[in-house]
Amino acid sequence: MAGADTAVDNAGDLSGLEAGLDALETVPAPRTPWRQILKEKLLPPLIAVALVLGLWQGLVSFGFVDDPAKLPAPAAVWQVMRDAWLKGDLLGYIWTSLSRGLLGFLLALAIGTPLGLLVARVKWIRAAISPILSGLQSLPSVAWVPPAVLWLGLNNKMMYAVVLLGAVPSIANGLISGVDQVPPLFLRAGRTLGASGLKGIWHVTLPAALPGYVAGLKQGWAFSWRSLMAAEIIASFPDLGVGLGQLLENGRNASDTAMVFEAIVLILAVGIAIDLLLFSPLERWVLRSRGLLSRG
């Protein structure tokens, strides 16, 4: 009789524990106040930018640079950017490069994703192609500009080809790494529930491989942006328009250091903006969906 009572008590304890765990999973965490979000996420980068600008201004003001023309003051760079804005050229510089970069990245995404899945799932293709992908990923993107110009000429097709060659290996390798880290138990459970073939890839493999895939996407964008800048610097042509890389090269040709720093600042700003607006929210969503990040 006592044994039966003990079993009942244990069952009650287990049910209470399960109910408590369910409550932890179902009760949403309180949202973080906007003031705290601004304090934790916006204030630190603003302080870092202010420190960089202060150091930059200090190097100019206290004469640490022999020739002031080699390092213009932040105010001089701002004036150049302001003049470009007033002329209506600033947004044109940004959009010319950004549109090329985004379109090239989308093409790389369309090619790199199925390629990564194919290499990850087919052993003989992996043995043949995986070393090539790793070698292409380590190859400097600027190396593709001369052959792309010879093959395609000085046009936007050449720009997209350089972007593709820079981004596809990173995207494919990121997905391969993500697929390799999928627990075999997930795949067996998916097959047991009828998720095999393309259905298994869509419902099991890709969701489980998301962390590695997102890391590959982020690296792929970085490589595509760097590849595009290299192509615009080297393969300049009036019909291509003036992008940020061409702006950088124009400043060098004119020995205008303020214009050079203008281009550098804009290239950095676009790269940071894409990361903050696209990849950081995507990474947070992936972590939150796996319970690795509290809502906020």
Side-chain angles (χ1 to χ4, degrees), residues 136-160:
L136 289 175
Q137 188 174 0
S138 63
L139 185 69
S141 54
V142 68
W144 289 114
V145 178
V149 172
L150 295 175
W151 294 336
L152 301 172
L154 289 170
N155 50 44
N156 280 319
K157 293 181 181 179
M158 177 273 300
M159 299 284 184
Y160 296 136

Side-chain angles (χ1 to χ4, degrees), residues 58-90:
L59 291 174
V60 175
S61 299
F62 293 104
F64 287 99
V65 181
D66 296 335
D67 185 1
K70 293 182 179 179
L71 183 64
V77 178
W78 173 256
Q79 184 61 43
V80 173
M81 294 177 65
R82 183 174 180 274
D83 292 341
W85 171 266
L86 294 176
K87 293 177 182 177
D89 295 334
L90 189 64

Side-chain angles (χ1 to χ4, degrees), residues 8-178:
V8 171
D9 292 340
N10 289 338
D13 292 340
L14 288 175
S15 62
L17 177 60
E18 291 177 356
L21 292 174
D22 291 340
L24 287 175
E25 291 179 354
T26 55
V27 176
R31 295 194 64 85
T32 306
W34 280 105
R35 182 178 298 178
Q36 184 177 348
I37 293 175
L38 293 176
K39 181 180 178 181
E40 294 179 354
K41 297 183 179 181
L42 186 61
L43 189 59
L46 289 178
I47 293 176
V49 170
L51 290 175
V52 171
L53 291 177
L55 178 62
W56 181 359
Q57 183 63 51
L59 291 174
V60 175
S61 299
F62 293 104
F64 287 99
V65 181
D66 296 335
D67 185 1
K70 293 182 179 179
L71 183 64
V77 178
W78 173 256
Q79 184 61 43
V80 173
M81 294 177 65
R82 183 174 180 274
D83 292 341
W85 171 266
L86 294 176
K87 293 177 182 177
D89 295 334
L90 189 64
L91 292 180
Y93 300 150
I94 297 173
W95 178 245
T96 297
S97 294
L98 185 59
S99 60
R100 288 172 179 162
L102 291 177
L103 181 56
F105 179 73
L106 290 176
L107 293 173
L109 184 64
I111 296 173
T113 301
L115 178 62
L117 283 173
L118 191 64
V119 173
R121 299 300 295 271
V122 183
K123 290 183 178 179
W124 68 269
I125 294 181
R126 180 172 192 149
I129 297 181
S130 183
I132 298 175
L133 287 175
S134 298
L136 289 175
Q137 188 174 0
S138 63
L139 185 69
S141 54
V142 68
W144 289 114
V145 178
V149 172
L150 295 175
W151 294 336
L152 301 172
L154 289 170
N155 50 44
N156 280 319
K157 293 181 181 179
M158 177 273 300
M159 299 284 184
Y160 296 136
V162 174
V163 171
L164 286 175
L165 290 167
V168 167
S170 295
I171 295 174
N173 281 330
L175 184 53
I176 293 169
S177 176

